[in-house]
Amino acid sequence: MGMRRKADLPTKLCAGCGRPFAWRKKWARVWEEVRYCSERCRRSRARAGAC
């Protein structure tokens, strides 16, 4: 299998910022569980929910 274009990769909407983000190789095993596009979104969402 050859290289894929970024447009061909699956995408999701970030639960923190609402922006779309694409699949990454480091998420290959846990793609179904990924909810946030970055650590910054994950941390800010957790902090907002604690107040």
Side-chain angles (χ1 to χ4, degrees), residues 1-50:
M1 184 168 162
M3 296 285 291
R4 283 188 163 184
R5 294 183 319 201
K6 187 145 183 146
D8 295 337
L9 297 174
T11 60
K12 289 186 178 184
L13 291 178
C14 177
C17 64
R19 295 179 179 165
F21 64 97
W23 181 92
R24 296 182 189 171
K25 188 173 182 179
K26 69 178 183 178
W27 292 332
R29 294 184 179 171
V30 293
W31 178 244
E32 298 301 320
E33 301 166 16
V34 175
R35 294 182 55 211
Y36 303 101
C37 63
S38 64
E39 281 294 315
R40 181 178 180 181
C41 281
R42 187 180 66 80
R43 286 187 195 129
S44 67
R45 189 67 169 198
R47 191 174 344 114

